[in-house]
Every structure is written in structure tokens, then in C-alpha cells.
């Protein structure tokens, strides 16, 4: 079943592209388990992102107890610590289906930290292009904070306009992802269509959905 695609808030690609900061708030996310994809190593830099730092023990997803409990990977109160960039294996795949009006890329975050952690809200997403860096804006309603078990994955979608003008458009050269509540980013190869259309400011946006907005089916 193909990943569920979330539409996002407006960001336009214009001939004179401006740099914007990607922000995230203290909202929350739902669980997912997308397909296996190619990996990239973390690197410092990129835009920061926001979300909740902790979830209460016993917070549930899908009716199951997702309490991390005390011990390794918990803070002094016994709650699971937030997910860190260094403990996440972040990957991306093209999720476009022929006939769709927009392109979609699914970004997966796998907990490889050796402990449970809490993840919530929106990741920061920047597209690197030959015209500069474009920061995707948030779109969608986050869910509750989610305790991501060690070895499990969760994902979100990046939606972008298709270049159907016949021209070369704005060439995409990379995807920069910053997990919620983090300032350390990873840079991935862009797996989607190679370019965005050039517009006068009235074109379709590039947007990012909340954590859990890909891989849910339906």
C-alpha cells in the first residue's frame, strides 16, 4: 500500500528564490513503518525543528502501551528522552505514483540508538537547488507524542509541484532533514523528480507533513 500523502503549507519557487528558516512547533506525531530505503550519514548544520521533548509513560499508539519506563534511555523522571539526530537512521524514497498531480517523497526515521525515544511534531526540511535553499513549510495536524521503540521507524511526507513546463526549471540537488527538537541535520540525495517549475510567485508550494504522515496507508 502506498504511503499516505499529506498536503502542506505554501512555499513558492520563484525566479529570485529567498532563503527561509524552517521551524517546527511543539506538536506530536503518529506511528508508521515505511519501506526500507537507502541511507545517508548525519552531518552538522541545517535548520532547526520543534516538537515535544517528552511523552508521559503509558502514552499509547494503536491501543498499545508505549511507555518507555525507567532505565537506559530514560531521563531522571523515568520518561523516555527525545529522539536525537545521532540515534536516527534517516532515509528517503520517491513516493510518486503516475497520475498524481504533485510529487511526493517519503522520509523515514529509524530508531537506531539502542533505546526508546520520544518523537513529535514536524521535522525541518530544506531543498537544496541550483538557485539556493528552499525551506518547506508545515502542513497538517500532528498527533500525540510517540514513543519510538528501538529498531522501529516512523516517517513523513514532502510534497512538491511537478515541473510540467517543458523547461529545465529549478534543479533540486539535495534534501536536508532536521529531526524535531534538534539542530543537527542530515543531507540526503534527492530521490524525487529532478526539478521544480519556475513561477511568478503563484505556483504550488513545497510542503512537509507532520511526523507519521507517510506510511499510514489509505
Amino acid at each position: 500500500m502506498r504511503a499516505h500523502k499529506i498536503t502542506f503549507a505554501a512555499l513558492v519557487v520563484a525566479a529570485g528564490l529567498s532563503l527561509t528558516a524552517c521551524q517546527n512547533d511543539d506538536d506530536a506525531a503518529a506511528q508508521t513503518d515505511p519501506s526500507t530505503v537507502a541511507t545517508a550519514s548525519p552531518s552538522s548544520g541545517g535548520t532547526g525543528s520543534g516538537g515535544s521533548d517528552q511523552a508521559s509513560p503509558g502514552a499509547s499508539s494503536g491501543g498499545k502501551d508505549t511507555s518507555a519506563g525507567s532505565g537506559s534511555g530514560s531521563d531522571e523522571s523515568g520518561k523516555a528522552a527525545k529522539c536525537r539526530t545521532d540515534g536516527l537512521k534517516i532515509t528517503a524514497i520517491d513516493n510518486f505514483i503516475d497520475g498524481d498531480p504533485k510529487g511526493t517523497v517519503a522520509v523515514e526515521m529509524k530508531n537506531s540508538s539502542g533505546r526508546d525515544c520520544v518523537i513529535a511534531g514536524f521535522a525541518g526540511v530544506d531543498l537544496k537547488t541550483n538557485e539556493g535553499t528552499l525551506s518547506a513549510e508545515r502542513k497538517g495536524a500532528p498527533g500525540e507524542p510517540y514513543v519510538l521503540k528501538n529498531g522501529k521507524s516512523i516517517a513523513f511526507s514532502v510534497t512538491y509541484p511537478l515541473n510540467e513546463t517543458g523547461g529545465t526549471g529549478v534543479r533540486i540537488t539535495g534534501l536536508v532533514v532536521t529531526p524535531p527538537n534538534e539542530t543537527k541535520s542530515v543531507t540526503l540525495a534527492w530521490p524525487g523528480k529532478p526539478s521544480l517549475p519556475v513561477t511568478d510567485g503563484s505556483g504550488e508550494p513545497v510542503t512537509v507533513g507532520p511526523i507519521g504522515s507517510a506510511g499510514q496507508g489509505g
Side-chain angles (χ1 to χ4, degrees):
M1 181 180 297
R2 62 158 302 211
H4 179 64
K5 183 173 65 182
I6 301 292
T7 57
F8 310 109
L11 176 146
V12 285
V13 182
L17 296 167
S18 60
L19 306 181
T20 57
C22 179
Q23 299 177 342
N24 298 268
D25 57 11
D26 296 334
D27 293 320
Q31 182 181 14
T32 186
D33 190 3
S35 304
T36 301
V37 288
T39 65
S41 300
S43 61
S44 297
T47 54
S49 55
S52 300
D53 286 349
Q54 298 175 343
S56 300
S60 63
S61 176
K64 296 183 180 180
D65 184 2
T66 57
S67 172
S70 60
S72 177
S74 300
D75 64 17
E76 292 179 357
S77 66
K79 298 176 182 178
K82 68 183 180 182
C83 297
R84 297 287 189 178
T85 302
D86 289 339
L88 295 170
K89 182 180 179 181
I90 304 176
T91 56
I93 59 170
D94 184 13
N95 204 35
F96 174 73
I97 294 178
D98 288 341
D100 282 356
K102 298 179 182 179
T104 305
V105 165
V107 179
E108 178 189 81
M109 295 181 174
K110 182 176 182 179
N111 183 359
S112 58
S113 67
R115 60 175 176 79
D116 298 343
C117 63
V118 172
I119 195 164
F122 290 82
V125 170
D126 298 308
L127 298 187
K128 297 173 72 174
T129 80
N130 63 323
E131 296 287 347
T133 299
L134 301 173
S135 295
E137 294 188 4
R138 298 170 299 186
K139 178 72 175 183
E144 294 299 318
Y146 179 72
V147 177
L148 185 61
K149 298 294 185 179
N150 183 48
K152 298 299 182 179
S153 300
I154 199 163
F156 61 90
S157 296
V158 177
T159 299
Y160 60 96
L162 299 174
N163 182 17
E164 298 176 334
T165 64
T168 57
V170 177
R171 184 167 53 87
I172 305 172
T173 59
L175 173 65
V176 181
V177 177
T178 310
N181 295 300
E182 274 283 51
T183 57
K184 187 175 184 178
S185 304
V186 297
T187 300
L188 310 174
W190 173 251
K193 302 298 182 183
S195 65
L196 302 169
V198 176
T199 75
D200 59 1
S202 61
E204 293 290 337
V206 176
T207 50
V208 57
I211 300 295
S213 63
Q216 297 300 308

